[in-house]
Amino acid sequence: MTVKLDFEECLKDSPRFRAAVETVETDVSVLETQLEKLLKLCTTMLDSGHQYCTHSKSFLSGIQELSQNSPGDTMMSECLEKFSSSLNKMIEKHEEFLDVTQQTLKYQLQSLVKEDIKHFKEVRKEFERGSENLASALQHNAEVPRRRQHEAEEAAAALTSARTAFCARALDYVLRINVIQSKKKFEILKFMLTLMEAQSLFLEQGAQVTKQLEKYRKDLAAQLHQLVLESAREKREMEQRHTMIKQKDLSQEDVLPEARAEPGRAVMEGYLFKRASNAFKTWSRRWFSIQSNQLVYQKKAKVAVTVVMEDLRLCTVKPCPDHERRFCFEVVSPTKSCLLQADSEKHQNAWVTAVQNSIASAYSEDRLEFQGQPLERTASLSVAGLRSPTSRKLRGGVDKHVVDKLQRLEGNAQCCDCREAAPEWASINLGVTLCIECSGIHRSLGVHFSKVRSLTLDSWEPELVKLMCELGNHVINQIYEARVEEMNMKRPHPSSSRLEKEAWIRAKYVEKKFITKFPKAGLRPMPGSEVRTPEKPPKPFLKPKPPHQARGNAGSGPRRVSPPSGVAPGGQREGVSPGATPPPESLQSLHPGALLYRAAAAPPSLPTMADALAHGADVNWVNMAQESRTPLLQAVAANSLLACEFLLQNGASVNQPDSRGRGPLHHATTLGHTGLACLFLKRGANMNAVDRDGKDPLSIAIDLANADIVTLLRLAKMRESELAQGQSGDETYLDIFHDFSLMASNDPDKLTRRSGDLMKLTTL
């Protein structure tokens, strides 16, 4: 016999246990109704049977009297005598059958209804009271503030008492459920078997029918005998197990959430309090679980799960010791966060560990899944415009060229923050390479600080690869770690704890504790002619190669990088070769926004732009003295694909216009910069925007006879129209835009204005 409920499951009080209890209660209620109806029908049948026997005996008396009236007719007397005698025996057998039926009904079905089901209801009431008391104690224990230690101790004691009582009542209830589930089977079967055997003895006329059922009756009798024996054995085992569990210390803390590693099952599950995101910030207790790299919860077993975090690979988890409620921890993703509360510190630690292990396990699975297999991504387009084809196919699996090219850069062979070897992740807006653990911490900072991408699992646009090559760990650390040696700060190493690495990364990129401070007197909105030198200039940058050279080639010579904020000793500007003409004014004296604006102009200096952003420059800073131009418009004027990509990755608005109402796409079209126009369209530029002259980018491109940009704009408009009509289209648009991106990055000279094909484009 299968027992539906387990004693250990009832101690967890899981939704599965509650659902099973509800099912059993429904079954018992239906069983009680059916048995009561059967008892009434059987009583009516017995009353009718007794009346039938009484009338039959009267009938026999009439037959006997009739036989006395035919003393001379031997045949009739003998027939009536034998008939009345046989009929009298049949009536006696019938009365015996009725007595056996009444006794079986009384000792089996009535006992099951009047005693067992009644006892079941009483135990259920005790269980429900214990459950309500435990829920109230849990709620009260969770609501006690951290600062009220005395109330917390009282709440904990009350919770312990309520849990002990609940566990005891739950165990009794499970025992009663299992007993009644087993007893109802053999009691009903035994009643029917006894009834059938009495009926077969009584009904001689139904011998043939009963003979057909003889094998079934024998088999049923054997099965019933075995069932009774097994039921008695299981009852003894359950009583022994019940006694052993009840002898344990039921006052101990609730069982820790169970962690599993089997495929297809939840990694972790248990009750947690969840703070709502509404204005009231209410707390609700829900059954949480980690499954398929997702954090989900449900209120009841039959209710669909609610997904809290869709992909734990994009999340990080941290305790919240400063929160007013105890045992709180937070799961953070780039788009949202979820504040949770466990029942105890042990539960909190178990959940934090489980989430961290699940994140690490998900990354390990990704490595195994993609190793040696072709990595295919499906390109997609936004309604506002064409996005970059980051999902195009990478033949041969991992793009080894990207990994090798980026890791060959100075400093990139190690993680930018903890120096772990062979990093396989990168921050594309900072231009640095990261290890897997530091990448998770960067991801928890939010995309406004760091945009994380995998070097091995994601595809890379050519402009992003070149952008990463123009920066790198060595250049960025000269900005964000300029004062580490001066402050005598200790950097984390690969074996440092996650908390140490997270503290270092937050101090470095969020709090910016280690950058060189701008002189207060030098923070001016626009450049001037006065040169100011800081008291202690920062370390000079290594000189990078000119922008048109590849940075990863061996023997390519020193690199030239504009300084972040200082002047080299002797008055020479950092990053300027001795033979070059120094700038007419000190860039150091500029406001960070003005410095970003100036650094984006031709020739752009990405390290100086990164330094300006590190010092708080607004990426959308507006130069009111020059037609409200932004750094992005300066980069467009310089025809610098890398500078534009760098500004866009750091949050520059692709649609911010100047005082003439012309945005970056207008300027790129006017100047004939096809590669930049392609970039802005991929980043969602509004191609329908008009300037003060009432012209949109397409009309400007037609006026200037720029066939390439006309092609891009018309393709983008056609794609936008198809998407608006619900059509999926094909990948022709993606292929064309991808080709333009490759050409803009690798062969920009080929993107020149052509007017010969313009007339052909009018027929598109």
Side-chain angles (χ1 to χ4, degrees):
M1 182 185 69
T2 302
V3 180
K4 293 184 178 180
L5 299 182
D6 187 72
F7 292 108
E8 284 78 7
E9 188 72 17
C10 83
L11 293 180
K12 294 194 321 187
D13 193 23
S14 65
R16 291 190 297 269
F17 169 72
R18 290 288 184 168
V21 166
E22 291 178 1
T23 302
V24 171
E25 291 175 352
T26 302
D27 293 341
V28 172
S29 178
V30 173
L31 176 65
E32 182 182 13
T33 302
Q34 294 174 344
L35 289 178
E36 288 178 351
K37 179 180 179 181
L38 183 61
L39 287 173
K40 291 180 181 180
L41 294 175
C42 192
T43 302
T44 303
M45 181 194 71
L46 292 175
D47 293 338
S48 301
H50 287 299
Q51 291 181 3
Y52 169 78
C53 290
T54 301
H55 293 303
S56 297
K57 288 183 177 180
S58 300
F59 174 68
L60 289 178
S61 298
I63 293 177
Q64 290 176 356
E65 292 177 357
L66 181 60
S67 65
Q68 293 177 1
N69 292 330
S70 306
D73 193 342
T74 308
M75 182 180 293
M76 182 173 289
S77 300
E78 183 179 0
C79 176
L80 294 177
E81 182 67 22
K82 288 183 178 180
F83 179 76
S84 60
S85 176
S86 299
L87 189 57
N88 186 55
K89 291 180 180 179
M90 292 176 64
I91 294 173
E92 291 176 355
K93 294 295 183 181
H94 195 181
E95 288 179 338
E96 293 177 2
F97 164 73
L98 295 176
D99 293 337
V100 171
T101 303
Q102 188 170 7
Q103 291 178 0
T104 305
L105 187 69
K106 178 179 179 181
Y107 291 108
Q108 294 179 6
L109 296 187
Q110 285 184 347
S111 175
L112 184 61
V113 175
K114 302 299 183 182
E115 297 178 6
D116 296 312
I117 295 181
K118 181 180 179 181
H119 190 194
F120 169 82
K121 291 181 177 180
E122 293 173 352
V123 176
R124 181 178 65 184
K125 292 180 180 178
E126 293 295 327
F127 169 77
E128 292 173 350
R129 281 196 292 268
S131 178
E132 293 174 356
N133 293 338
L134 178 58
S136 177
L138 285 169
Q139 185 71 28
H140 178 62
N141 181 66
E143 292 174 351
V144 174
R146 186 186 300 275
R147 61 180 178 272
R148 299 181 182 178
Q149 185 63 28
H150 179 68
E151 292 186 16
E153 293 175 357
E154 291 180 353
L159 176 59
T160 299
S161 177
R163 182 179 286 113
T164 302
F166 170 77
C167 290
R169 291 170 180 172
L171 290 170
D172 293 341
Y173 190 36
V174 171
L175 176 64
R176 180 50 49 190
I177 287 175
N178 292 336
V179 169
I180 199 170
Q181 282 181 325
S182 61
K183 190 173 182 180
K184 71 179 182 180
K185 293 182 179 180
F186 72 82
E187 289 290 355
I188 294 175
L189 293 176
K190 187 176 181 180
F191 167 75
M192 289 304 302
L193 182 62
T194 305
L195 185 64
M196 287 299 299
E197 289 183 346
Q199 190 82 341
S200 64
L201 293 175
F202 160 65
L203 297 176
E204 294 182 0
Q205 296 87 345
Q208 184 177 358
V209 177
T210 56
K211 188 174 183 62
Q212 294 175 356
L213 299 176
E214 182 178 1
K215 184 179 184 303
Y216 167 76
R217 289 189 293 107
K218 291 180 179 179
D219 294 341
L220 183 60
Q223 294 177 7
L224 178 60
H225 178 69
Q226 186 65 26
L227 182 62
V228 172
L229 294 179
E230 292 180 359
S231 177
R233 178 179 55 80
E234 291 181 358
K235 182 179 179 181
R236 288 194 302 270
E237 292 178 355
M238 287 188 293
E239 289 175 345
Q240 293 173 359
R241 193 171 182 183
H242 172 266
T243 303
M244 292 175 60
I245 295 178
K246 206 167 184 179
Q247 289 175 354
K248 294 182 179 179
D249 185 9
L250 300 180
S251 63
Q252 61 183 356
E253 269 195 351
D254 195 6
V255 182
L256 285 175
E258 186 176 358
R260 301 188 180 95
E262 300 96 343
R265 298 191 64 183
V267 177
M268 187 81 166
E269 58 182 7
Y271 277 112
L272 290 172
F273 282 92
K274 176 184 179 296
R275 190 179 72 174
S277 58
N278 54 28
F280 300 102
K281 303 298 182 183
T282 55
W283 291 82
S284 303
R285 198 163 188 257
R286 297 291 183 264
W287 182 262
F288 277 81
S289 61
I290 300 174
Q291 48 187 342
S292 301
N293 295 332
Q294 292 182 334
L295 179 64
V296 301
Y297 73 86
Q298 60 182 150
K299 188 175 181 180
K300 295 182 179 180
K302 297 181 180 179
V303 178
V305 298
T306 301
V307 179
V308 181
M309 295 298 176
E310 296 181 355
D311 193 344
L312 288 178
R313 292 173 297 179
L314 306 179
C315 301
T316 185
V317 59
K318 58 181 180 180
C320 300
D322 298 331
H323 198 274
E324 182 180 6
R325 293 169 73 108
R326 300 169 297 158
F327 320 132
C328 291
F329 62 97
E330 188 176 18
V331 182
V332 183
S333 74
T335 58
K336 60 182 177 179
S337 64
C338 180
L339 187 61
L340 304 171
Q341 182 187 17
D343 293 338
S344 64
E345 185 176 0
K346 291 182 180 179
H347 286 199
Q348 178 191 16
N349 295 335
W351 273 102
V352 171
T353 302
V355 175
Q356 292 174 346
N357 293 340
S358 181
I359 295 173
S361 175
Y363 284 123
S364 300
E365 291 174 1
D366 282 344
R367 284 199 186 98
L368 294 176
E369 180 180 355
F370 288 101
Q371 185 175 5
Q373 299 180 5
L375 179 64
E376 297 187 0
R377 308 284 191 190
T378 303
S380 61
L381 293 172
S382 65
V383 176
L386 293 164
R387 295 178 179 172
S388 60
T390 59
S391 301
R392 301 180 65 86
K393 296 181 180 179
L394 293 180
R395 294 171 178 82
V398 176
D399 192 347
K400 297 294 184 182
H401 174 70
V402 174
V403 180
D404 296 341
K405 188 173 183 178
L406 296 184
Q407 289 185 350
R408 281 202 308 267
L409 298 179
E410 185 176 2
N412 280 20
Q414 296 178 331
C415 174
C416 183
D417 296 321
C418 73
R419 308 304 193 265
E420 182 174 345
E424 295 185 352
W425 295 82
S427 174
I428 57 177
N429 63 312
L430 293 174
V432 297
T433 57
L434 305 165
C435 67
I436 183 173
E437 187 169 18
C438 289
S439 71
I441 300 174
H442 272 253
R443 188 179 289 110
S444 68
L445 299 180
V447 293
H448 54 291
F449 285 107
S450 184
K451 298 179 180 179
V452 178
R453 180 175 292 188
S454 172
L455 296 177
T456 58
L457 302 181
D458 294 320
S459 58
W460 284 75
E461 303 92 327
E463 58 266 25
L464 264 184
V465 176
K466 297 192 70 175
L467 172 63
M468 293 288 297
C469 292
E470 285 296 320
L471 296 173
N473 296 359
H474 182 69
V475 173
I476 296 302
N477 278 340
Q478 284 189 346
I479 299 173
Y480 286 92
E481 296 184 3
R483 299 171 58 234
V484 169
E485 302 295 339
E486 173 187 341
M487 299 171 65
N488 197 22
M489 298 297 296
K490 182 181 179 181
R491 295 182 177 90
H493 47 81
S495 60
S496 298
S497 66
R498 182 182 177 88
L499 293 178
E500 293 176 343
K501 293 180 181 179
E502 183 174 3
W504 171 265
I505 291 173
R506 288 188 177 275
K508 180 178 176 180
Y509 299 103
V510 180
E511 302 170 13
K512 300 176 182 177
K513 291 183 177 180
F514 315 130
I515 65 174
T516 302
K517 305 299 181 182
F518 271 12
K520 294 183 179 179
L523 298 181
R524 298 182 298 162
M526 284 302 297
S529 59
E530 182 180 1
V531 178
R532 294 180 176 85
T533 304
E535 297 179 0
K536 187 175 181 180
K539 294 182 178 180
F541 275 15
L542 294 178
K543 297 179 180 180
K545 296 178 295 185
H548 65 276
Q549 296 181 5
R551 290 183 50 182
N553 298 335
S556 58
R559 299 182 297 175
R560 179 176 61 85
V561 179
S562 297
S565 58
V567 180
Q572 175 65 39
R573 284 293 301 168
E574 302 170 15
V576 180
S577 60
T581 302
E585 55 192 2
S586 173
L587 295 181
Q588 172 207 346
S589 63
L590 298 180
H591 183 277
L595 176 62
L596 178 64
Y597 182 85
R598 177 62 62 87
S605 173
L606 264 64
T608 305
M609 296 168 66
D611 181 52
L613 291 175
H615 284 83
D618 182 2
V619 72
N620 294 310
W621 187 82
V622 176
N623 189 345
M624 303 300 296
Q626 296 184 9
E627 298 182 342
S628 299
R629 293 168 68 88
T630 62
L632 183 58
L633 295 182
Q634 287 286 86
V636 174
N639 192 19
S640 175
L641 184 68
L642 297 185
C644 291
E645 178 69 25
F646 178 73
L647 291 170
L648 290 173
Q649 290 296 342
N650 282 278
S653 174
V654 76
N655 291 312
Q656 183 169 340
D658 58 11
S659 59
R660 300 176 60 188
R662 294 191 170 188
L665 184 57
H666 280 87
H667 283 270
T669 304
T670 303
L671 297 174
H673 298 334
T674 307
L676 295 182
C678 179
L679 174 65
F680 297 145
L681 287 173
K682 291 192 297 181
R683 295 296 187 269
N686 184 7
M687 55 191 142
N688 299 316
V690 296
D691 57 11
R692 288 188 176 181
D693 298 332
K695 291 188 175 182
D696 60 4
L698 180 58
S699 62
I700 295 175
I702 293 176
D703 292 342
L704 297 176
N706 192 321
D708 289 336
I709 298 182
V710 170
T711 301
L712 291 174
L713 290 169
R714 287 190 170 177
L715 286 174
K717 283 181 176 291
M718 292 170 61
R719 180 63 168 175
E720 185 180 44
S721 176
E722 289 183 355
L723 292 177
Q725 297 175 4
Q727 301 177 9
S728 60
D730 54 30
E731 294 188 358
T732 304
Y733 304 96
L734 302 178
D735 294 335
I736 295 175
F737 271 72
H738 182 65
D739 293 339
F740 272 108
S741 296
L742 289 174
M743 193 178 301
S745 298
N746 301 325
D747 299 301
D749 295 336
K750 293 183 179 180
L751 292 178
T752 57
R753 297 185 180 181
R754 300 193 307 270
S755 59
D757 297 332
L758 183 59
M759 297 303 297
K760 298 179 181 179
L761 293 173
T762 58
T763 61
L764 289 176

